[in-house]
Amino acid sequence: MTTDRIRVGIDVGGTFTDAVAVDATTLRLLGQVKVPTSHHHEDGVAHGIVEALDRLLRQVDRTPGDIAFLAHGTTQATNALLEGDVATVGLIGIGTGPGAVLTRRLAALGRLELAPGKRLPLAYAHVADPDAPAAVRTAVDELTAAGAQVLVATEPFAVDRPEGERAVLEAARPAGLPMTAAHEITSLYGLHKRTRTAVVNAAILPRMLATADLVDASITKAGVIAPLMVMRCDGGVMALDEMRRRPLLTVLSGPAAGVAGALMQERISEGVFLETGGTSTDISVVRRGKVTVRHATMLGKASYLNALDVRTVGVGGGSMVRVAQGRVTAVGPRSAHIAGLPYACFADLDDLRDATLATVRPMPDDPDDYVVLDAAGGRFALTMTCAANALGRVPDGDFARCDQEVAKAAIAPLAAVLSVDVPTAAARILDAGVARVREIVDALVSDYRIDPDTAVLVGGGGGAASVTPHLAALTGMTGRIARHSEVISPIGVALALVREQVERIIPGATQEQILAVRAEAERAVVAQGAAADGVEVEVTVDPQTSTVRATATGATELRTQDRSHSADDAERLTAAAASLKTDPAEVRVLAKTSAHTVYGIEVRRRLRAPRHPIRVVDADGVVRLHASDASVTATTVGAAPELLAHLVREGTSYGDGGVRAPALRLLLGSRIADLSGVLDPQPLLALARSEMRDRAVDEPVVAVVEMRS
């Protein structure tokens, strides 16, 4: 089943703007286009977005009215910070006595370095009484005279008492400048870090507002009636109005688009995503079906910006080989693109005739150990892609596929210098390049306690085949290249869910306060267009920092995927058995809902209690949840409160580390409600009840309970 409705994702890169159309029902890729990014057009990147959209609609024979969802990702905010192309920020500090001392110190934020030799342009003015409009106007006049183009108000403890910041902005409104209050950007304590995050947000605000207005007007003029969404740095999308308020959320969103594509298209539940371009590889983690995020470092300082935890290695498909003393010493960080050389493997055999090996400096300050071929057809670079093709690691139809015989011919001169055969030389190239990637992958697997038995390596990007297959071979982990890997980022934009995260520091948070934070996050995504029936909220409570965090995700419309290709019972059993690394005959069905089946085995251990690994498999045959030792109980919505109270009571431990309720997840309808981030039994049970509200009493519920070590 297909429809005329499509989801469109547009990824605005530094050089090209890529756009894809995906069937809104089946999520099948229908078409893709690439146009140059229009940085220098009078309409800026908006022109390239509209051009890409127009070409895409013509390619897939659709009209603007057929677009059910439209989102774009952009590097504009990131580039603005990297290049120092930002607005002058007017910072208004508020307070008297000790509070004034703290806020006056914030003038030092003007020393933040954006780019070598370029600091954050910031002017500071102080207001003792926020309820004195004349004093505020005097401060604003002082800041505008100093060149301020955007205003930020900040006051100690404004997270709890925001009235002062709001009063200052209200009094400053006649100035007509974009404005923001520090408490609106983050609700976490820490005046300096909160203000720094707000100031960086403000520095890119005018430029991003102008771009948002141009893109919005251009899309509307093109006849698109679907709301325009923007990619966030944590793997979700937000409404354009939300981007106008917090453009900082688009910083570092480039890698987030790729992992969102892997999460939604490839249905990863546990694994590592490697997005490999020509020069570098971005490495990120999916754990239990969710991207991993952390507070990002910006301009060399910690911030309160929640961004994808991505580690970047300077190794990509175009990375050049380095040789010294008769051995391959390294690969990269310079790429063939930087050196201005074509890949040897994409030449003709005739071009490689009479090839000899030479070493060069790609850039004047580089070492002179980068290998090139001087041949009949000119000078060529030896790259990771050449080695992967020579070993047959690049599959048919891949963006980086070439004639294997040409790739072998390209490696042959190096093999002669190394005194080995061509496959061995190619393997040594990949070993050297992948070694640096493996260090990061090993660290991430350890940091996030990823189970190697269930984790997969998924490669995306045009250079995926040069890294992921060889890394899988070295580590023994399951590895694959994502479908349509060269456009995985715009696919991620097209498939991404609306996302919002609310954080509060609440010492000794009550269950009512925790539920209030959850409700706030849920309301936020619904306000941005998410269908209320499909919103999922994950809540975590960190007792060490007293942080209550609620992350809500939801689709902008209820999507019912085409189930004509759903997995049958045998396929789901096979998937579970493969993940459990056992014979299907040993696997039992423990419970079922309309959307999920729970499989498990018993592992007997000498002198110890048996262990019960489980796998939750969805209707498509994808493992969506795994646990190394868990109990599974099936019940109904009506009977669940009493049963869950018993399970939580029996599974709660008490010790020096405090009260620790078991990790609880509920399979309910099409959802997996993850409540494992809450350690206190009473809020945990309150959240469980909130997940089941408004549901029929006879609806099935499956509880998956893991004891905490």
Side-chain angles (χ1 to χ4, degrees):
M1 172 186 171
T2 60
T3 68
D4 289 334
R5 304 283 281 169
I6 58 173
R7 297 174 68 88
V8 174
I10 302 175
D11 184 44
V12 183
T15 305
F16 290 105
T17 293
D18 291 292
V20 299
V22 175
D23 187 285
T25 302
T26 66
L27 307 187
R28 181 172 61 89
L29 180 66
L30 301 176
Q32 61 190 76
V33 300
K34 182 187 294 285
V35 302
T37 297
S38 52
H39 293 294
H40 305 298
H41 191 274
E42 61 182 351
D43 289 340
V45 298
H47 176 77
I49 289 174
V50 174
E51 182 184 359
L53 179 61
D54 180 62
R55 289 191 190 181
L56 184 68
L57 290 175
R58 281 190 274 116
Q59 183 188 105
V60 300
D61 193 25
R62 297 290 198 279
T63 68
D66 293 327
I67 299 174
F69 175 92
L70 173 62
H72 81 281
T74 176
T75 59
Q76 189 173 25
T78 305
N79 293 343
L81 292 176
L82 291 175
E83 297 163 9
D85 184 14
V86 298
T88 299
V89 178
L91 177 61
I92 303 175
I94 306 167
T96 57
V101 174
L102 294 174
T103 52
R104 290 183 189 279
R105 289 176 181 170
L106 297 172
L109 292 174
R111 293 201 292 266
L112 284 174
E113 191 173 64
L114 295 169
K118 189 164 187 176
R119 299 190 182 278
L120 178 75
L122 181 137
Y124 180 85
H126 195 84
V127 172
D129 182 3
D131 293 316
V136 174
R137 286 194 292 271
T138 298
V140 172
D141 290 342
E142 178 186 334
L143 293 173
T144 53
Q149 299 163 282
V150 58
L151 300 177
V152 175
T154 187
E155 182 179 21
F157 307 109
V159 169
D160 297 321
R161 300 191 299 272
E163 297 81 11
E165 291 183 358
R166 289 172 179 164
V168 166
L169 294 187
E170 186 59 35
R173 200 168 302 282
L177 295 179
M179 300 180 296
T180 189
H183 79 271
E184 295 174 339
I185 305 305
T186 173
S187 296
L188 296 179
Y189 293 136
L191 176 67
H192 198 274
K193 189 184 292 188
R194 183 172 72 251
T195 304
R196 184 170 62 241
T197 305
V199 162
V200 175
N201 179 80
I204 60 176
L205 186 58
R207 179 174 175 179
M208 296 299 286
L209 283 174
T211 298
D213 291 341
L214 278 171
V215 173
D216 194 19
S218 300
I219 293 297
T220 301
K221 185 178 179 181
V224 177
I225 58 175
L228 178 63
M229 311 296 286
V230 184
M231 195 74 201
R232 295 164 52 115
C233 53
D234 58 6
V237 291
M238 59 183 168
L240 193 63
D241 283 346
E242 190 60 31
M243 192 276 277
R244 288 186 171 104
R245 189 170 75 88
R246 293 184 291 171
L248 191 62
L249 289 175
T250 67
V251 172
L252 307 176
S253 63
V259 75
L263 188 65
M264 298 298 291
Q265 175 187 271
E266 298 298 311
R267 308 290 298 278
I268 306 175
S269 61
E270 193 93 351
V272 179
F273 177 66
L274 306 104
E275 186 165 15
T276 304
T279 304
S280 63
T281 297
D282 291 327
I283 309 167
S284 48
V285 167
V286 174
R287 187 170 187 270
R288 299 202 164 176
K290 300 178 179 66
V291 298
T292 54
V293 298
R294 63 177 179 176
H295 286 153
T297 298
M298 294 187 305
L299 309 182
K301 303 288 185 179
S303 74
Y304 280 142
L305 174 68
N306 285 301
L308 179 75
D309 185 1
V310 60
R311 319 283 171 92
T312 300
V313 180
V315 174
S319 294
M320 296 174 64
V321 181
R322 298 169 65 180
V323 172
Q325 299 178 340
R327 65 186 183 90
V328 176
T329 56
V331 174
R334 293 300 183 205
S335 68
H337 312 83
I338 298 299
L341 295 174
Y343 294 22
C345 60
F346 293 132
D348 294 327
L349 273 175
D350 226 26
D351 291 333
L352 297 182
R353 192 167 29 85
D354 303 325
T356 58
L357 211 62
T359 55
V360 299
R361 301 178 191 270
M363 301 292 285
D365 294 334
D366 289 338
D368 63 350
D369 58 356
Y370 285 86
V371 170
V372 296
L373 295 182
D374 286 325
R379 174 165 281 184
F380 301 91
L382 276 184
T383 67
M384 291 279 286
T385 298
C386 297
N389 274 289
L391 286 178
R393 292 273 167 79
V394 186
D396 286 335
D398 190 277
F399 183 76
R401 173 83 172 194
C402 75
D403 185 330
Q404 188 174 5
E405 293 308 311
V406 175
K408 289 179 177 179
I411 300 295
L414 174 63
V417 169
L418 301 179
S419 300
V420 297
D421 59 19
V422 167
T424 302
R428 289 184 182 179
I429 292 171
L430 295 182
D431 285 346
V434 167
R436 296 165 58 198
V437 178
R438 183 176 183 176
E439 289 177 11
I440 301 299
V441 170
D442 287 346
L444 284 169
V445 167
S446 174
D447 290 349
Y448 288 103
R449 299 180 181 179
I450 300 297
D451 183 353
D453 287 342
T454 59
V456 295
L457 300 172
V458 177
S466 65
V467 171
T468 301
H470 196 71
L471 179 62
L474 290 177
T475 61
M477 295 174 68
T478 301
R480 67 175 186 267
I481 297 173
R483 290 170 292 148
H484 316 297
S485 61
E486 74 279 7
V487 288
I488 194 69
S489 287
I491 287 174
V493 176
L495 299 182
L497 301 174
V498 183
R499 184 179 174 99
E500 187 57 76
Q501 182 164 289
V502 175
E503 290 181 303
R504 296 281 185 272
I505 295 178
I506 310 174
T510 64
Q511 64 186 49
E512 289 78 13
Q513 290 172 315
I514 294 171
L515 287 170
V517 173
R518 182 198 184 282
E520 183 179 347
E522 185 173 15
R523 287 195 302 271
V525 294
V526 172
Q528 295 182 62
D533 291 348
V535 173
E536 295 186 11
V537 186
E538 179 186 5
V539 178
T540 59
V541 180
D542 186 338
Q544 292 185 324
T545 62
S546 298
T547 302
V548 180
R549 181 181 300 111
T551 303
T553 54
T556 53
E557 78 286 341
L558 286 175
R559 297 198 310 253
T560 303
Q561 293 188 31
D562 179 9
R563 291 298 178 200
S564 59
H565 300 294
S566 294
D568 58 24
D569 289 345
E571 290 171 316
R572 289 194 287 273
L573 175 61
T574 299
S579 178
L580 289 162
K581 291 185 165 46
T582 191
D583 189 294
E586 302 295 322
V587 180
R588 294 184 298 121
V589 175
L590 303 179
K592 273 189 174 185
T593 68
S594 59
H596 298 98
T597 307
V598 187
Y599 299 90
I601 59 174
E602 182 175 87
V603 178
R604 295 188 176 277
R605 300 181 292 178
R606 188 176 180 184
L607 302 179
R608 299 173 66 186
R611 191 165 54 87
H612 298 91
I614 66 102
R615 301 292 184 265
V616 177
V617 182
D618 69 12
D620 294 327
V622 177
V623 176
R624 299 311 305 262
L625 176 66
H626 74 91
S628 59
D629 191 11
S631 65
V632 177
T633 306
T635 183
T636 63
V637 167
E642 184 177 350
L643 173 66
L644 292 177
H646 171 74
L647 293 175
V648 170
R649 184 170 59 251
E650 291 296 310
T652 298
S653 62
Y654 301 85
D656 294 340
V659 179
R660 293 170 63 85
L664 174 65
R665 295 173 181 85
L666 299 178
L667 310 185
L668 190 63
S670 62
R671 298 163 58 181
I672 300 177
D674 188 345
L675 308 179
S676 61
V678 182
L679 299 176
D680 192 314
Q682 294 311 310
L684 172 61
L685 292 171
L687 284 166
R689 289 192 296 270
S690 73
E691 290 289 343
M692 295 182 288
R693 69 176 185 268
D694 302 326
R695 291 183 176 269
V697 294
D698 59 349
E699 181 174 347
V701 181
V702 176
V704 178
V705 179
E706 289 181 86
M707 301 302 159
R708 300 187 193 271
S709 59

